């Protein structure tokens, strides 16, 4: 098949990689329906995909990864900047020359007997001033079909690229899915990503975390913009005005849920609506009017399946009803559909679990779906997709919200005193780990701006970049910065806030604060709502003014303890800590004394 471009930098890079991995055949992905159908058929013939019930789930497929390959591997993810200091204390670092040599040894000849797929893709609407081009080489049809959903793929991307050398190189080699030789390496200074020995989403869909966060965060630092692990949603009030919020929560901490939330009954009646622009990644830059604008660089949702149901997230569920790839969920053999924990109370008896073994969901103690099983669904399927989704200039941001999973300490919501204090609030985020990454679950760790696994350079430089972005904004136009916690628990371990759709009650307060419509209590840690200002109409029996007050409380002893943790965390960065943040920490310590 002939190349789809004459771009010399593209062709010579591909030639080099062909020489290295030695494919039997090269296929350029043009994004056409016919080609996608052909690839689906090939993948079904080899068992890589299972075609699901086409009446109930048209164009939907099931895939199982290797049992040892079900989540991102943070311990095997490297930032290969020229010096260790550039990667910083929170990233794994490898010398780029050593990394290339090691990776090339692993990749050498690994496509023998296989096909090389060349995927030209755009992160962001094709041709948008925010958008950036990538090319991923892969030997996995699963990767091709996921990239076709998650990004904009095809010839028009190469047309926009023209002769430019400004594109991100991505090489993915499945090899033998050997855990011991699995590496996810980013070379920010070379616009290059190499991923070997994995077939799991976050490790191999190179447009997503590797490019749109790790490489793009570095590009944003150099070019004056930001790549963030943030959802984008629009809240439409009864007068038809829409305000946009970006929110950063760590992996599997509720971005997809918040981005697509269904307003509580009383809000619906009044005419409130919520529109989803993105559920995972935001690219943010200043617009001509001096405000910050955000786009979602992706074109689909790679969402957590378990817990997604008609009640928790009907919009996400609806998004999975056509053109979706399910990964590591249970296969219901009676009707050739899929099931996962938390879909409904009726697990299939005649099924296959995520590892591929027969499974009786009515009797088995084992899980049917892996806790990090996912759906890859086209954004266009989403019933509440924003009309601004394709807007090449993005949407203006009124508020930035940070949040994590914390059983104690962090109140339901608080507002920072100003931009720099807001950067501090983001920098001290901590959250319980989840199944989205390999390793222990439920351990509290610092995860600044939800970017711990995704920042492509020294986190201290990243914080300074945040401070510089704010300094360049007119404070009147800068988004206000907040922190939320939907996960506070009582002494019996029950969640104290109903969450999900009811989170709109907190977002309403946030928007009111942005518009100067509501007062707040100035506390040691920032502005906290007066309980009466959070609308709890319709939550009788679930939330009272009293319980609300208790999740809005600032518990000084816990904060004193936390300040010590922050100090230890900051110490890792030595004298690279921005003075602004060091001063904010001193203020916090003094305030909670
Ligand atoms: P990534 O795709 O991994 O970046 O994650 P995400 O932030 O999009 O995660 P997602 O929205 O899929 O979060 C899923 C998990 O969060 C599930 O365990 C949900 O039950 C839980 N969750 C989401 N929203 C809420 C909430 O408001 N309250 C509570 N208690 N749990 C929530
Ligand atoms: C996350 O872990 O934050 C995800 C899923 O969004 S993955 O693409 O696997 O990183
Ligand atoms: Mn994510």
């Amino acid at each position: 098949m002939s190349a789809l471009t004459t771009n010399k930098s593209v062709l010579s890079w591909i030639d080099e990689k062909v020489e290295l991995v030695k494919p039997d055949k090269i296929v350029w992905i043009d994004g056409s329906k016919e080609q996608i159908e052909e690839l689906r058929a090939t993948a079904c013939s080899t068992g890589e995909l299972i075609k699901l019930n086409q009446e109930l789930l048209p164009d939907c497929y099931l895939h199982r990864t290797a049992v040892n390959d079900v989540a991102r591997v943070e311990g095997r993810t490297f930032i290969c900047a020229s010096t260790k200091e550039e990667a910083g204390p929170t990233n794994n670092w490898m010398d780029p020359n050593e990394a290339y040599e090691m990776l090339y040894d692993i990749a050498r000849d690994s496509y023998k007997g296989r096909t090389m797929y060349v995927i030209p893709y755009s992160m962001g609407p094709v041709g948008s001033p925010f958008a950036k081009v990538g090319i991923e080489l892969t030997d996995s049809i699963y990767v091709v079909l996921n990239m076709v959903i998650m990004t904009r793929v095809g010839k028009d991307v190469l047309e926009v690229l023209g002769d430019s050398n400004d594109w991100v190189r991505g090489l993915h080699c499945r090899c033998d899915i050997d855990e011991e030789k699995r590496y996810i390496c980013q070379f920010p200074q070379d616009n290059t990503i190499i991923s070997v020995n994995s077939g799991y989403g976050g490790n191999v869909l190179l447009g997503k975390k590797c490019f749109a966060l790790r490489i793009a965060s570095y590009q944003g630092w150099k070019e004056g913009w930001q790549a963030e692990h943030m959802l984008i949603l629009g809240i439409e009030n009864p007068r038809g005005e829409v305000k946009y919020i970006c929110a950063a929560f760590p992996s599997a901490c509720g971005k997809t849920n918040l981005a697509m939330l269904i307003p509580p009954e009383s809000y619906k009646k009044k005419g409130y609506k919520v529109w989803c622009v993105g559920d995972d990644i935001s690219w943010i830059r200043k617009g001509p009017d001096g405000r910050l604008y955000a786009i979602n660089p992706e074109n689909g949702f790679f969402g957590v399946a378990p817990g997604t149901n008609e009640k928790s997230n009907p919009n996400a569920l609806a998004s999975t009803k056509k053109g979706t790839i399910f990964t590591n969920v249970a296969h219901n053999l009676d009707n050739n559909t899929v099931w996962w924990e938390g879909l409904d109370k009726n697990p299939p008896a005649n099924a296959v679990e995520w590892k591929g073994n027969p499974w009786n969901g009515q009797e088995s103690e084992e899980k049917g779906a892996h806790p990090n099983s996912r759906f890859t669904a086209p954004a266009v399927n989403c019933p509440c997709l924003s009309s601004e989704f394709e807007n090449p200039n993005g949407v203006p941001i009124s508020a930035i919200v940070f949040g994590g999973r914390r059983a104690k300490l962090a109140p339901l919501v608080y507002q920072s005193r100003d931009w720099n204090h807001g950067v501090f609030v983001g920098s001290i985020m901590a959250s319980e780990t989840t199944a989205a990454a390999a390793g222990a679950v439920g351990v509290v760790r610092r995860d600044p701006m939800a970017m711990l696994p995704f920042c492509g350079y020294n986190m201290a430089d990243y914080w300074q970049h945040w401070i510089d972005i704010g300094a360049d904004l007119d404070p009147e136009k800068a988004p206000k910065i907040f922190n939320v916690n939907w996960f506070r628990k009582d002494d019996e371990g029950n969640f104290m806030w109903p969450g999900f759709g009811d989170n709109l009650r907190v977002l309403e307060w946030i928007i009111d604060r942005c518009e100067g419509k509501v007062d707040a209590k100035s506390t040691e840690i920032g502005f906290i709502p007066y309980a009466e200002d959070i609308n709890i109409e319709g939550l009788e029996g679930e939330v009272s003014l009293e319980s609300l007050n208790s999740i809005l409380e600032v518990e000084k002893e816990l904060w004193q303890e936390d300040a010590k943790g922050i100090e230890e965390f900051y110490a890792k960065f030595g004298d690279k800590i921005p003075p602004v943040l060091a001063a904010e920490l001193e203020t916090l310590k003094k305030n909670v004394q």
Side-chain angles (χ1 to χ4, degrees):
M1 182 178 177
S2 62
L4 293 183
T5 179
T6 54
N7 182 311
K8 288 207 180 70
S9 64
V10 172
L11 295 179
S12 67
W13 179 76
I14 294 177
D15 279 349
E16 265 171 44
K17 296 303 164 280
V18 166
E19 196 52 40
L20 175 74
V21 300
K22 303 244 168 44
D24 279 13
K25 208 168 106 184
I26 302 174
V27 172
W28 285 71
I29 302 302
D30 60 17
S32 69
K33 272 214 160 69
E34 300 72 43
Q35 190 182 43
I36 291 165
E37 273 313 322
E38 204 181 305
L39 291 170
R40 285 168 167 169
T42 308
C44 288
S45 74
T46 61
E48 190 176 351
L49 290 183
I50 296 168
K51 191 170 193 163
L52 295 169
N53 184 325
Q54 295 296 295
E55 258 140 54
L56 297 173
L57 296 168
D59 293 329
C60 291
Y61 294 82
L62 170 65
H63 172 79
R64 292 188 200 106
T65 64
V67 173
N68 74 15
D69 189 29
V70 294
R72 285 182 293 99
V73 278
E74 296 180 358
R76 310 196 68 93
T77 299
F78 291 81
I79 300 299
C80 306
S82 42
T83 64
K84 185 167 166 53
E85 159 134 357
E86 288 168 279
T90 55
N91 280 314
N92 300 312
W93 174 80
M94 221 188 286
D95 173 81
N97 295 321
E98 283 169 28
Y100 281 126
E101 196 180 315
M102 177 195 71
L103 293 164
Y104 288 163
D105 280 346
I106 294 171
R108 188 163 293 117
D109 297 344
S110 71
Y111 279 40
K112 275 194 174 159
R114 299 180 183 183
T115 299
M116 172 185 279
Y117 300 97
V118 180
I119 315 171
Y121 64 95
S122 173
M123 297 313 290
V126 179
S128 148
F130 286 75
K132 296 233 171 222
V133 170
I135 293 180
E136 174 165 358
L137 306 180
T138 180
D139 53 346
S140 157
I141 296 181
Y142 171 75
V143 168
V144 173
L145 295 174
N146 273 274
M147 286 292 286
V148 164
I149 298 170
M150 293 305 297
T151 73
R152 281 104 170 155
V153 167
K155 282 184 203 161
D156 51 343
V157 173
L158 291 166
E159 273 157 33
V160 166
L161 182 66
D163 289 333
S164 169
N165 187 27
D166 182 13
W167 53 279
V168 171
R169 291 117 176 98
L171 173 65
H172 166 236
C173 306
R174 270 189 308 154
C175 305
D176 310 310
I177 315 289
D178 178 350
E179 275 177 285
E180 301 298 316
K181 290 187 179 159
R182 185 170 300 153
Y183 292 97
I184 319 299
C185 293
Q186 284 66 204
F187 301 80
Q189 287 139 340
D190 301 343
N191 268 346
T192 296
I193 303 156
I194 301 179
S195 164
V196 294
N197 276 298
S198 175
Y200 167 76
N203 298 331
V204 299
L205 309 179
L206 302 186
K208 197 173 175 61
K209 300 299 160 112
C210 303
F211 177 174
L213 288 177
R214 297 194 190 101
I215 298 280
S217 61
Y218 176 84
Q219 292 175 329
W221 179 39
K222 296 291 162 184
E223 297 167 10
W225 53 282
Q226 295 171 280
E228 300 295 340
H229 193 199
M230 290 179 177
L231 65 91
I232 311 168
L233 63 74
I235 300 173
E236 180 175 335
N237 69 19
R239 293 184 302 284
E241 299 157 349
V242 187
K243 303 284 174 200
Y244 295 92
I245 294 179
C246 281
F249 309 152
S251 305
C253 289
K255 289 185 300 301
T256 304
N257 278 277
L258 192 71
M260 301 180 189
L261 78 76
I262 302 269
E265 258 337 294
S266 61
Y267 280 76
K268 267 196 223 162
K269 274 203 201 109
K270 281 185 237 164
Y272 278 91
K273 292 182 183 131
V274 167
W275 302 107
C276 173
V277 181
D279 80 327
D280 197 44
I281 300 177
S282 299
W283 284 1
I284 303 172
R285 60 174 73 208
K286 195 161 98 172
D289 63 357
R291 301 185 65 189
L292 286 185
Y293 283 73
I295 66 154
N296 169 12
E298 302 191 282
N299 203 23
F301 308 117
F302 187 59
V304 177
T308 306
N309 59 51
E310 211 38 81
K311 200 163 170 274
S312 67
N313 196 342
N315 286 317
L317 197 59
S319 305
T320 67
K321 295 299 179 190
K322 56 180 190 227
T324 293
I325 300 172
F326 297 92
T327 302
N328 293 339
V329 300
H331 187 195
N332 180 346
L333 296 178
D334 283 335
N335 60 3
N336 191 22
T337 61
V338 288
W339 192 86
W340 51 76
E341 278 65 27
L343 173 64
D344 55 39
K345 297 208 166 76
N346 197 18
N350 177 27
V352 176
E353 41 82 284
W354 67 274
K355 286 178 268 188
N357 304 310
W359 184 69
N360 180 340
Q362 302 281 338
E363 287 172 6
S364 176
E365 297 285 299
E366 305 270 293
K367 283 198 176 350
H370 185 274
N372 190 40
S373 55
R374 300 245 168 191
F375 52 80
T376 317
V380 289
N381 287 359
C382 181
C384 66
L385 192 70
S386 166
S387 59
E388 301 303 295
F389 178 71
E390 294 283 352
N391 187 332
N393 299 312
V395 295
I397 301 306
S398 298
I400 290 173
V401 179
F402 296 118
R405 232 178 233 272
R406 290 202 87 171
K408 301 282 172 215
L409 186 83
L412 179 63
V413 58
Y414 67 103
Q415 182 186 0
S416 70
R417 288 183 288 272
D418 54 29
W419 179 276
N420 283 349
H421 179 231
V423 177
F424 175 72
V425 168
S427 80
I428 66 169
M429 267 172 68
S431 192
E432 294 157 26
T433 51
T434 66
V441 167
V443 183
V444 176
R445 68 169 186 185
R446 296 280 156 204
D447 188 350
M449 283 82 171
M451 283 289 276
L452 180 72
F454 308 120
C455 185
Y457 58 109
N458 192 311
M459 187 73 77
D461 288 324
Y462 165 82
W463 290 331
Q464 185 60 50
H465 183 46
W466 264 87
I467 292 164
D468 294 342
I469 292 274
D472 181 48
L473 295 172
D474 172 350
E476 290 296 308
K477 294 182 178 171
K480 303 284 179 279
I481 302 180
F482 299 81
N483 193 86
V484 299
N485 179 19
W486 316 136
F487 298 89
R488 267 288 270 268
K489 286 186 177 166
D490 62 20
D491 294 336
E492 279 80 57
N494 305 306
F495 288 118
M496 296 172 74
W497 175 251
F500 301 94
D502 290 310
N503 292 333
L504 183 58
R505 301 168 187 276
V506 174
L507 299 185
E508 186 189 24
W509 182 82
I510 287 176
I511 296 290
D512 282 349
R513 284 296 293 168
C514 292
E515 297 182 341
K517 285 187 187 155
V518 62
D519 249 351
K521 203 167 22 176
S522 177
T523 75
E524 296 84 348
I525 61 167
F527 297 110
I528 299 241
Y530 292 106
E532 321 67 273
D533 291 329
I534 303 277
N535 176 1
I536 51 171
E537 177 192 354
L539 287 182
E540 294 76 16
E542 263 186 286
V543 179
S544 61
L545 270 187
E546 197 191 353
S547 67
L548 196 51
N549 263 315
S550 76
I551 48 177
L552 289 171
E553 207 185 331
V554 180
E555 295 172 76
K556 273 199 185 181
E557 304 76 54
L558 293 182
W559 279 95
Q560 285 165 12
E561 202 53 40
D562 208 55
K564 283 186 207 145
I566 298 165
E567 199 152 32
E568 269 169 43
F569 181 57
Y570 273 14
K572 288 189 183 181
F573 299 88
D575 55 13
K576 273 190 81 78
I577 282 288
V580 164
L581 296 189
E584 290 289 351
L585 175 56
E586 287 313 307
T587 306
L588 176 70
K589 277 164 50 187
K590 208 165 68 218
N591 287 355
V592 298
Q593 244 342 294

